[in-house]
Amino acid sequence: MYYTDWAEQLLSFPADLRLKIDDAVKRYVLYGEEPTDRDVLYSMFGLMRAQIDRDRAKYADVCNKNSENANKRWKNERMRSHTNGCNRMRSNAVDADNDN
């Protein structure tokens, strides 16, 4: 997630520093690379990294909870006995065709 607060703040930075920070954020998100440029390290990157880490943890937590809930549902025998994907499929799908 890229926050509008970040964009607004970055617009006040010089173009070369803004590009360095933006590239550092992208590399951190995509590859987990920590920046080595001192200008980036002492800029707002630290705040951005902390928010990215919180968002990732929150997303992982939601995914785990959803997975647990799905597993609970499918472990319930009553739910499994009523689910059969083939019950709704026609044996001859051509019967629905209409040549009119």
Side-chain angles (χ1 to χ4, degrees), residues 28-40:
Y28 182 72
V29 169
L30 294 173
Y31 311 115
E33 293 178 11
E34 293 284 340
T36 56
D37 189 332
R38 292 177 61 84
D39 292 338
V40 173

Side-chain angles (χ1 to χ4, degrees), residues 13-30:
F13 283 50
D16 58 335
L17 181 56
R18 182 172 58 233
L19 179 61
K20 286 180 183 180
I21 294 170
D22 195 46
D23 285 349
V25 168
K26 290 174 186 173
R27 289 183 186 280
Y28 182 72
V29 169
L30 294 173

Side-chain angles (χ1 to χ4, degrees), residues 35-54:
T36 56
D37 189 332
R38 292 177 61 84
D39 292 338
V40 173
L41 287 172
Y42 296 116
S43 67
M44 61 184 278
F45 177 80
L47 299 172
M48 297 167 87
R49 178 180 50 207
Q51 184 64 51
I52 291 167
D53 292 343
R54 282 191 299 270

Side-chain angles (χ1 to χ4, degrees), residues 6-93:
W6 297 351
E8 289 173 356
Q9 186 65 36
L10 284 173
L11 286 174
S12 67
F13 283 50
D16 58 335
L17 181 56
R18 182 172 58 233
L19 179 61
K20 286 180 183 180
I21 294 170
D22 195 46
D23 285 349
V25 168
K26 290 174 186 173
R27 289 183 186 280
Y28 182 72
V29 169
L30 294 173
Y31 311 115
E33 293 178 11
E34 293 284 340
T36 56
D37 189 332
R38 292 177 61 84
D39 292 338
V40 173
L41 287 172
Y42 296 116
S43 67
M44 61 184 278
F45 177 80
L47 299 172
M48 297 167 87
R49 178 180 50 207
Q51 184 64 51
I52 291 167
D53 292 343
R54 282 191 299 270
D55 289 346
R56 279 186 174 165
K58 187 176 178 181
Y59 178 74
D61 187 44
V62 168
C63 288
N64 288 334
K65 286 180 182 178
N66 288 344
S67 177
E68 289 171 9
N69 289 337
N71 287 333
K72 286 178 188 176
R73 240 185 342 266
W74 285 106
K75 287 180 182 176
N76 184 347
E77 183 63 37
R78 189 172 57 104
M79 284 296 290
R80 279 189 295 170
S81 65
H82 294 299
T83 57
N84 186 351
C86 295
N87 285 344
R88 298 186 68 180
M89 293 179 66
R90 295 181 179 194
S91 59
N92 189 355

